[in-house]
Amino acid sequence: MDNADVDFAIVVHPEPYQDDHRYLEHCLNVGQGRLKGTCLFFADRPGSVEKMAPLVQRNPGRIVAARVHAYASDRLPPFGTKELRHLWKTASDLGLAIQLHFEPRYAPGLEPLIQEFTDTTVIIDHLGRPMQGTPEEHEVVVRWSRFPNTVMKISSIPDQNSYPHRDVQPIIRRLTDAFGAERMIYGGGFNSGATGESYRDYRLRVADLLSHMSADDRTKILGGTAAKLFGFTGS
């Protein structure tokens, strides 16, 4: 973070750790106020959602969102059930956002809860995964911009040299037109081999993809909007 000139960041708790958040809490302690995190619990796993409140209470102001995955076909959330609504409501009552990581084909199953919980911010991960669906399926996600509580995250930028070989630039232009800089945030190029230089290079790539926008709007997307959304000091 220091080498890449990053003041604050969100640690997105990954699915391999399931609902065990010990490593996340370790990271938050190491971060000393520069890091906040997301959590992951399972609507259809007995006792999982009940762990959410204690985690948030142990880490006041440091857990900002609960993540919902609808990506792997064998681990889908229970769409249309009271259990998924209970997870969503629990996060909402705790003041958390909902962070959605999904393939576009599963978007219709999530939309009713976005509409019901209008005061709960919904963060859409990785551009809504446009390359993991058809343009028609992803258009459902783009139309979520009509819900004022939705925020689009620019992250995991797909490589047009890989399948399905679609140019991401028109997709990003469509999303920026739909959501605007006030409802878009940047997710950085962090991985196991990341360096300060590689992170800066990735940020420059994203800035280039936003070259159709004003400098002020690019600044919002590359940090300003997230600082306000997640309540970082100095925002």
Side-chain angles (χ1 to χ4, degrees):
M1 289 172 67
D2 290 341
N3 291 338
D5 299 321
V6 175
D7 296 317
F8 306 104
I10 301 295
V11 179
V12 178
H13 178 81
E15 191 178 26
Y17 293 131
Q18 300 287 288
D19 56 2
D20 182 341
H21 295 84
R22 286 175 294 172
Y23 186 60
L24 172 67
E25 291 187 273
H26 166 75
C27 292
L28 297 180
N29 289 330
V30 169
Q32 297 183 339
R34 295 179 65 185
L35 299 175
K36 296 187 180 186
T38 73
C39 59
L40 176 65
F41 295 94
F42 298 93
D44 53 357
R45 183 176 298 177
S48 183
V49 175
E50 284 62 44
K51 299 176 184 177
M52 191 185 303
L55 174 68
V56 172
Q57 291 159 3
R58 284 197 308 272
N59 298 276
R62 301 198 299 182
I63 306 297
V64 297
R67 209 173 193 214
V68 174
H69 285 260
Y71 196 76
S73 59
D74 60 337
R75 299 194 303 276
L76 295 176
F79 296 117
T81 65
K82 63 181 182 181
E83 288 80 11
L84 183 56
R85 185 183 184 279
H86 173 59
L87 183 152
W88 208 291
K89 186 178 187 302
T90 299
S92 300
D93 289 346
L94 290 167
L96 306 184
I98 294 290
Q99 185 167 346
L100 300 178
H101 180 212
F102 60 96
E103 290 188 350
R105 58 179 163 157
Y106 299 123
L110 298 164
E111 188 168 308
L113 291 168
I114 297 175
Q115 290 183 281
E116 179 180 354
F117 292 91
T118 56
D119 293 332
T120 302
T121 298
V122 175
I123 301 165
I124 304 161
D125 256 336
H126 306 327
L127 306 171
R129 290 288 186 188
M131 304 308 181
Q132 274 69 54
T134 66
E136 292 75 20
E137 288 171 332
H138 189 250
E139 186 62 24
V140 174
V141 182
V142 177
R143 289 199 300 270
W144 282 357
S145 62
R146 71 188 187 276
F147 304 128
N149 55 323
T150 55
V151 175
M152 178 61 65
K153 188 168 81 171
I154 299 181
S155 55
S156 293
I157 304 299
D159 182 358
Q160 72 179 66
N161 295 314
S162 301
Y163 182 83
H165 306 287
R166 299 207 309 260
D167 184 4
V168 73
Q169 179 72 69
I171 295 169
I172 289 180
R173 180 62 182 262
R174 179 92 171 87
L175 290 171
T176 57
D177 288 346
F179 286 87
E182 300 287 348
R183 289 198 290 138
M184 298 191 81
I185 59 177
Y186 161 72
F190 181 79
N191 55 50
S192 59
T195 64
E197 183 179 3
S198 72
Y199 194 97
R200 287 194 303 271
D201 289 345
Y202 190 88
R203 191 166 56 205
L204 288 172
R205 181 189 172 199
V206 173
D208 186 59
L209 290 168
L210 299 172
S211 60
H212 60 283
M213 305 185 78
S214 69
D216 182 58
D217 281 348
R218 288 196 300 272
T219 297
K220 289 177 181 177
I221 293 175
L222 292 171
T225 297
K228 291 179 180 179
L229 177 63
F230 298 123
F232 282 115
T233 302
S235 61

